[in-house]
Amino acid sequence: MQQYYKGIPVYGRSVVLSADSDGNVHALTANSTQIDNVDIKSEATQEDVDVSVKQYFDNEDAIIEKISEDRLSIYSLDLDEEPRLIYNISVVTEEGAFDVLIDAKTAEIVESYDAVRYVQKEFECKGQEGTQKFFAESNENV
């Protein structure tokens, strides 16, 4: 289950339950976190985002996904900083495709990931307790 703050998904934060076919919970895994006092009003404009992305990638021809409310998330993975509102958008350059996290107030680039190297996989494992489904993520070189 995705973690939300005031209706906005919290990037990279979730709770996973493992249950049998009768609905009995066997395991709980969570990387959720307490989120308080995040201003959820975006201020960065599309022009601000375009300028920031083009400077970051040093590429005037970058194809930049349009910002919108459905691209908003709360970023809380940097433990040294307070959670903040971000846009999670796609950018394509001559070098490849990237998932880019942009501060929705300042248009500062928070993180960028090579979209080709970011993998999500769902798989099943069979064991003594039966079959369990798992979901794995990796942003390592694959």
Side-chain angles (χ1 to χ4, degrees):
M1 296 183 300
Q2 173 69 52
Q3 181 179 354
Y4 287 86
Y5 175 77
K6 295 186 178 180
I8 298 173
V10 179
Y11 180 83
R13 301 288 187 177
S14 62
V15 175
V16 178
L17 293 172
S18 178
D20 61 25
S21 59
D22 294 326
N24 299 311
V25 175
H26 292 277
L28 169 73
T29 305
N31 70 344
S32 60
T33 189
Q34 181 70 34
I35 305 285
D36 293 313
N37 302 319
V38 176
D39 183 358
I40 58 170
K41 183 176 183 275
S42 60
E43 295 175 8
T45 65
Q46 184 69 52
E47 183 179 348
D48 296 334
V49 168
D50 290 351
V51 167
S52 184
V53 168
K54 289 176 181 181
Q55 287 177 348
Y56 181 81
F57 287 101
D58 193 23
N59 187 325
E60 284 296 316
D61 298 321
I63 300 169
I64 304 165
E65 181 179 12
K66 299 297 180 204
I67 60 174
S68 63
E69 283 193 27
D70 66 330
R71 303 304 301 162
L72 286 172
S73 294
I74 303 295
Y75 184 80
S76 66
L77 296 180
D78 187 339
L79 301 178
D80 294 330
E81 295 185 16
E82 291 295 316
R84 58 179 155 172
L85 187 67
I86 61 164
Y87 287 110
N88 182 356
I89 64 170
S90 298
V91 173
V92 178
T93 69
E94 293 172 351
E95 289 78 36
F98 301 89
D99 293 326
V100 182
L101 310 181
I102 301 170
D103 189 298
K105 300 279 187 197
T106 65
E108 170 194 359
I109 305 293
V110 176
E111 295 277 347
S112 73
Y113 302 100
D114 185 332
V116 175
R117 293 185 180 160
Y118 183 78
V119 177
Q120 294 181 335
K121 175 76 175 164
E122 187 174 327
F123 58 95
E124 292 183 358
C125 291
K126 294 181 181 179
Q128 294 176 342
E129 297 293 321
T131 301
Q132 294 188 9
K133 289 186 178 184
F134 293 91
F135 183 77
E137 293 182 282
S138 174
N139 58 0
E140 302 294 323
N141 292 340
V142 293

